[in-house]
């Protein structure tokens, strides 16, 4: 296994978590109230007996399927009347990871909806949000959404997914499972490490060589052609 600097790992993980929170706050500020998702609830305010009488409601679980909450807890909610009964709309946070909510935002702004050329369906994939950010530089939401996805992927896949054992090492299992017979790694896949981007350098700095050893990086790109070249003694394939 490869040795990990657990102090650097913990600090970097905390840094990513803080950045994700900052991005989340910035995203919420970009979304108009009319686009914010809301949850519809029937509520009996505990300190509003007059409303209970007006609605003819009884505090009885068998006859009233409603939530009993304090009036203070309803601050910021919107009250509407449906069928002679008061309901409350609870504002929820905009979930930028929800394709539906992102599509609703795109439609609200009047932007062209990205389409998957293969399926013909609407899409909010990372590359499509990045394209929207370039087409609409005045709207920061798409750039913030892409950055948030990158931060959460780094923290979830590479930080939380790579847990050192008792010796402080991340151990993997090497196999030849791919149909091509290529050398592979699993549990976790240590062959798939970030090389580029603003997090790559700091992430790679967490890994250390054991005392008296060195860390080497080997690129298996086009390894099949290279092996074929050696087997065939073809200099062109070997040096390609």
């Amino acid at each position: 296994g490869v040795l990990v600097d657990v102090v650097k790992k913990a600090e970097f993980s905390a840094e990513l978590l803080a950045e994700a929170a900052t991005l989340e706050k910035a995203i919420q500020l970009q979304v108009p109230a009319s686009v914010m998702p809301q949850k519809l609830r029937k509520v009996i305010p505990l300190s509003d007996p007059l409303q209970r009488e007006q609605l003819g409601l009884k505090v009885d679980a068998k006859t009233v399927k409603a939530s009993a909450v304090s009036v203070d807890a309803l601050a910021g909610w919107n009250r509407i009347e449906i069928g002679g009964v008061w309901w409350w709309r609870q504002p929820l946070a905009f979930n930028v990871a929800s394709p539906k909510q992102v599509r609703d935002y795109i439609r609200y702004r009047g932007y062209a909806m990205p389409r998957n050329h293969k399926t013909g369906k609407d899409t909010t994939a990372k590359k499509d949000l990045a394209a929207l950010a370039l087409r609409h530089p005045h709207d920061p939401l798409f750039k913030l959404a892409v950055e948030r996805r990158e931060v959460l992927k780094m923290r979830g896949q590479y930080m939380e997914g790579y847990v050192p054992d008792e010796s402080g090492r991340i151990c993997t299992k090497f196999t030849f499972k791919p149909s091509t017979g290529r050398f592979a790694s699993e549990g976790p896949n240590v062959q798939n490490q970030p090389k580029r981007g603003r997090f790559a350098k700091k992430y790679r700095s967490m890994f250390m060589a054991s005392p008296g050893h060195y860390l080497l990086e080997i690129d298996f790109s086009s390894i099949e052609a290279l092996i074929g070249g050696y087997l065939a003694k073809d200099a062109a394939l070997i040096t390609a």
Side-chain angles (χ1 to χ4, degrees):
V2 60
L3 197 60
V4 178
D5 187 326
V6 293
V7 175
K8 282 188 177 181
K9 184 176 186 294
E11 291 175 348
F12 187 32
S13 182
E15 181 182 327
L16 291 171
L17 186 62
E19 182 166 350
T22 300
L23 290 169
E24 181 64 32
K25 290 180 181 178
I27 287 171
Q28 299 304 319
L29 294 175
Q30 302 304 318
V31 183
S34 58
V35 184
M36 287 287 193
Q38 296 182 338
K39 181 179 180 181
L40 193 63
R41 295 179 60 185
K42 182 161 58 175
V43 175
I44 309 171
L46 291 176
S47 57
D48 193 352
L50 179 61
Q51 187 189 46
R52 294 182 190 170
E53 294 178 6
Q54 290 174 341
L55 299 179
L57 298 177
K58 297 179 181 180
V59 184
D60 185 338
K62 295 181 179 179
T63 59
V64 180
K65 294 181 180 179
S67 300
V69 299
S70 66
V71 172
D72 292 339
L74 298 175
W77 293 29
N78 301 314
R79 190 171 70 171
I80 61 173
E81 184 181 356
I82 301 178
V85 178
W86 288 109
W87 291 74
W88 298 78
R89 290 187 183 275
Q90 178 186 10
L92 303 175
F94 182 82
N95 182 4
V96 75
S98 166
K100 179 184 181 303
Q101 292 184 31
V102 174
R103 290 196 299 267
D104 289 343
Y105 178 84
I106 294 172
R107 294 190 185 97
Y108 174 83
R109 292 299 188 190
Y111 303 147
M113 185 68 67
R115 290 290 182 90
N116 185 309
H117 298 296
K118 293 183 179 179
T119 64
K121 296 182 179 179
D122 297 342
T123 176
T124 57
K126 177 183 173 181
K127 64 180 182 64
D128 299 300
L129 294 183
L132 283 168
L134 291 175
R135 287 200 297 269
H136 306 286
H138 59 284
D139 190 334
L141 184 133
F142 303 112
K143 184 175 182 292
L144 291 169
V146 171
E147 290 178 353
R148 179 181 177 276
R149 288 189 183 186
E150 291 175 347
V151 170
L152 293 181
K153 179 180 180 180
M154 173 61 69
R155 188 171 188 274
Q157 180 173 337
Y158 297 107
M159 303 301 291
E160 295 179 351
Y162 285 37
V163 181
D165 60 14
E166 295 81 0
S167 67
R169 290 174 168 79
I170 291 178
C171 298
T172 187
K173 180 181 179 182
F174 292 107
T175 72
F176 293 94
K177 283 185 177 180
S179 57
T180 58
R182 173 174 283 200
F183 192 54
S185 166
E186 62 181 23
N189 180 8
V190 297
Q191 291 179 282
N192 182 25
Q193 301 295 308
K195 291 184 178 180
R196 303 173 184 84
R198 59 194 181 101
F199 300 123
K201 185 176 181 180
K202 181 170 288 189
Y203 171 77
R204 287 170 170 255
S205 70
M206 299 187 314
F207 299 102
M208 307 180 297
S210 300
H213 295 76
Y214 294 94
L215 283 179
L216 296 178
E217 182 176 0
I218 301 173
D219 190 352
F220 282 170
S221 178
S222 303
I223 189 66
E224 290 85 359
L226 185 62
I227 293 174
Y230 275 102
L231 293 176
K233 298 181 180 180
D234 186 322
L237 277 177
I238 294 174
T239 58

